[in-house]
Amino acid sequence: MATSSREDCYSASYQDRRFSKQVRDNVHGYIYLDPIFLKFVDTEQFQRLRDMKQLGLTYLVYPGAVHSRFEHSLGVYWLAGEAIHRIKAHQGLELDINNMDIKTVKLAGLLHDVGHGPFSHLFEREFLPRVLNGLNWSHEDMSLRMIDYIVDTHNIDIDPECLKNAKEMVVASHEHASSRSANEKQFLYDIVANGRNGIDVDKFDYLVRDSRACGLGCSFQFERLMDTMHVIEDEICYRAKDYLTVHKLFATRADMHRTVYTHAKVKAIELMVVDALSIANGYLQITDKIDKPDEFWKCQIDDLILKRIETDSSEKLKEARHLIQRIRRRDLYQFCNEFSVPKDKLEHFKDITPQDIVCSQKAGRITLKEEDVAVSIAKIDLTRGRSNPLESVKFFKDYESGDKFSIQDHLISHLLPSFYQDKIVRVYAKKPELVEAVSEAFENFQLKIYGMKAQVHATPEKKRLRKMMFSS
């Protein structure tokens, strides 16, 4: 399409900005919220997202990581709109993209996290499975309930088909895929939560936003992919020359998981919060509200729940309150050591429990109990477990070509990884004076399971000797 035609498409799309609300975002600059989206934003259910930090408890290690789900949701809304507008500018007539399509994609971007629980993914992946015997609850499913609740409660007048398709887009990722409408425009479902290959504007926003908040550089530039995405046979494809840019998206995500999201001290704090929430659940009845949107949004199931535990004087919260106070005083569970599960053991890896560590202890001065030990297992991959996500990405030669194809790594570079997943097993002592005993039991466990010590080095002596400081 000629430049002037593209400009016409953009101006037609943005001509009503005088009716929009302008918001200044520290990542994307000015964001414009049209009236229909403001109806959702200006509800107490959506405003609740201001009370949840995007990275949960990470700010206790990276002090700048205090940005919220609210600003991330606005960012995904904006990028979803930019993506569909750019596709329309180049292929609008060919793909029959209409205003309803644009509204639907933007709505999905705006509301994709409206049902999120507190503390990033800790709430649904660690707390709920522990107290509800492995319950598989997802914030995506709660988002669907919350969207309906918002529409009904606030009498928002929106096209039912638009709402239905937006909800399908919210759960379109491979982990939460549901039946979707028999819609010939399947490429629209690739934009917000991409179930085909994991390239979506949700990642574009949080990788840049999280990196910036933590004071880290981000070498991945999503703008390059946004500018060149092209739909072929109902699928968003990318230029073959951008193969390494796509790879960098997945590599950046893995780096953020390793250095930020699963940082050893962040995980120590998360383990303490899960323990505190588990103890407090009976009194606060947190789990009674997880399937009720009308209670979920207003019962402090957000970051403020820690303050509620900390300030409530009930005897039933004494243990939980003590754990929160320990976090405040930086008296954290002590990281003892870690190892990366050997590659040949990953396929049949079985989760390691505190009981496994305790049972590996040899006779000594201290006899460990399960409640003395905490174990964290961090899975770091490129979004597809032990598979290469780029195998699911389709590329094209140039804009004149109508063919899409996959590319094998070795045709691009021999420096790309041949393995795509790590599992890091970390063990913590819940009291400083137990570090030596837990560290020794952890080493014995490795010898028993693998016939060798898989950890890089022994637990530093200064950590082991902390027991003397606390016992003297």
Side-chain angles (χ1 to χ4, degrees):
M1 183 181 290
T3 302
S4 60
S5 299
R6 289 202 302 270
E7 290 174 351
D8 289 343
C9 286
Y10 275 112
S11 62
S13 301
Y14 298 140
Q15 64 183 351
D16 291 330
R17 278 186 173 173
R18 65 184 184 275
F19 302 113
S20 302
K21 183 173 183 178
Q22 185 185 72
V23 178
R24 179 69 184 180
D25 179 65
N26 69 339
V27 173
H28 305 300
Y30 286 111
I31 288 175
Y32 296 87
L33 287 160
D34 298 335
I36 183 60
F37 305 112
L38 274 173
K39 290 181 180 180
F40 286 92
V41 172
D42 293 340
T43 64
E44 52 271 48
Q45 292 77 28
F46 192 89
Q47 292 291 318
R48 162 184 172 270
L49 299 180
R50 291 183 186 271
D51 294 326
M52 291 191 296
K53 294 178 182 66
Q54 171 74 7
L55 295 188
L57 299 156
T58 302
Y59 77 101
L60 293 171
V61 176
Y62 290 89
V66 293
H67 55 300
S68 68
R69 289 272 160 200
F70 182 87
E71 51 200 283
H72 166 64
S73 296
L74 295 186
V76 177
Y77 153 82
W78 184 247
L79 289 182
E82 287 293 292
I84 188 63
H85 280 305
R86 294 183 193 195
I87 293 173
K88 182 179 180 180
H90 291 88
Q91 298 178 273
L93 294 177
E94 169 194 345
L95 300 173
D96 188 30
I97 296 173
N98 55 48
N99 289 336
M100 186 63 72
D101 295 329
I102 295 172
K103 181 188 293 186
T104 303
V105 170
K106 293 171 73 173
L107 188 64
L110 182 70
L111 302 178
H112 78 288
D113 271 352
V114 75
H116 219 290
F119 314 121
S120 190
H121 294 281
L122 174 151
F123 184 79
E124 62 194 279
R125 295 180 183 172
E126 297 183 46
F127 165 63
L128 290 180
R130 179 190 291 191
V131 297
L132 294 177
N133 299 316
L135 175 74
N136 186 20
W137 184 95
S138 75
H139 72 271
E140 289 91 346
D141 291 336
M142 174 51 85
S143 291
L144 301 190
R145 297 190 189 99
M146 192 65 75
I147 291 168
D148 286 337
Y149 177 76
I150 292 172
V151 171
D152 293 341
T153 301
H154 297 278
N155 299 310
I156 297 176
D157 184 16
I158 187 167
D159 183 274
E161 190 67 18
C162 172
L163 189 66
K164 178 176 180 290
N165 290 342
K167 287 164 58 181
E168 290 175 353
M169 290 176 188
V170 166
V171 293
S173 69
H174 68 285
E175 293 180 359
H176 303 282
S178 61
S179 58
R180 64 175 63 164
S181 302
N183 190 329
E184 72 279 6
K185 301 175 185 177
Q186 293 297 308
F187 69 90
L188 296 174
Y189 293 80
D190 297 343
I191 294 174
V192 174
N194 192 334
R196 298 201 226 208
N197 53 48
I199 305 175
D200 51 49
V201 297
D202 181 26
K203 290 185 184 64
F204 290 177
D205 183 83
Y206 76 65
L207 287 176
V208 176
R209 193 176 299 277
D210 295 354
S211 298
R212 182 173 299 184
C214 294
L216 305 174
C218 182
S219 59
F220 167 67
Q221 298 296 321
F222 68 83
E223 293 90 347
R224 185 175 177 93
L225 297 183
M226 290 274 287
D227 281 339
T228 60
M229 58 176 62
H230 193 68
V231 178
I232 300 176
E233 296 176 3
D234 213 13
E235 180 176 6
I236 295 178
C237 305
Y238 301 89
R239 293 184 304 179
K241 65 190 295 185
D242 287 332
Y243 187 93
L244 292 178
T245 303
V246 174
H247 177 268
K248 189 165 286 187
L249 163 67
F250 298 120
T252 299
R253 178 183 174 276
D255 286 344
M256 287 296 289
H257 272 271
R258 185 177 296 278
T259 59
V260 177
Y261 309 149
T262 65
H263 187 286
K265 193 149 288 188
V266 172
K267 296 306 294 184
I269 296 168
E270 289 185 350
L271 288 166
M272 295 179 78
V273 168
V274 171
D275 282 350
L277 292 177
S278 300
I279 295 166
N281 183 52
Y283 179 75
L284 298 180
Q285 298 182 315
I286 303 168
T287 52
D288 291 351
K289 306 169 180 70
I290 60 171
D291 291 317
K292 303 171 185 176
D294 57 325
E295 295 186 25
F296 184 78
W297 77 266
K298 61 186 177 184
C299 290
Q300 287 192 326
I301 303 183
D302 52 37
D303 292 6
L304 299 175
I305 198 168
L306 294 189
K307 181 60 69 175
R308 181 179 176 188
I309 293 172
E310 188 178 17
T311 57
D312 192 313
S313 59
S314 171
E315 187 66 22
K316 294 180 179 179
L317 290 178
K318 183 178 179 180
E319 275 189 84
R321 190 164 55 244
H322 176 63
L323 282 169
I324 304 304
Q325 289 169 348
R326 282 185 61 183
I327 293 172
R328 302 292 190 206
R329 297 166 186 160
R330 216 62 176 179
D331 177 19
L332 307 179
Y333 290 172
Q334 292 294 302
F335 170 68
C336 296
N337 219 317
E338 68 180 21
F339 69 82
S340 179
V341 179
K343 286 196 295 187
D344 60 340
K345 306 294 184 184
L346 275 171
E347 185 174 357
H348 302 292
F349 176 79
K350 182 182 177 182
D351 280 355
I352 296 164
T353 67
Q355 183 182 29
D356 294 324
I357 307 303
V358 170
C359 290
S360 300
Q361 185 185 25
K362 295 181 180 178
R365 186 178 63 83
I366 297 175
T367 300
L368 294 172
K369 302 185 288 292
E370 284 186 50
E371 55 266 32
D372 295 328
V373 181
V375 177
S376 168
I377 300 171
K379 185 182 78 169
I380 302 170
D381 58 33
L382 301 184
T383 73
R384 285 294 186 268
R386 289 180 290 115
S387 300
N388 181 4
L390 278 98
E391 293 175 353
S392 302
V393 180
K394 294 297 187 293
F395 297 88
F396 61 92
K397 181 176 64 175
D398 53 43
Y399 295 111
E400 285 67 44
S401 171
D403 297 327
K404 62 180 181 180
F405 50 86
S406 301
I407 299 176
Q408 295 180 322
D409 275 0
H410 73 272
L411 297 176
I412 299 294
S413 171
H414 298 303
L415 299 178
L416 294 173
S418 58
F419 206 77
Y420 307 100
Q421 185 184 71
D422 281 337
K423 277 193 178 174
I424 312 292
V425 178
R426 296 191 179 112
V427 68
Y428 296 81
K430 292 190 178 183
K431 297 177 182 177
E433 61 268 29
L434 299 176
V435 168
E436 183 172 35
V438 173
S439 298
E440 290 176 355
F442 190 47
E443 290 179 9
N444 294 335
F445 171 79
Q446 296 168 57
L447 290 169
K448 181 170 65 175
I449 298 299
Y450 301 124
M452 64 174 188
K453 293 181 183 178
Q455 62 193 39
V456 174
H457 57 67
T459 303
E461 200 65 23
K462 66 178 182 180
K463 271 187 172 288
R464 291 174 179 263
L465 296 178
R466 283 177 68 91
K467 64 172 184 169
M468 297 181 182
M469 293 187 291
F470 283 86
S471 58
S472 60

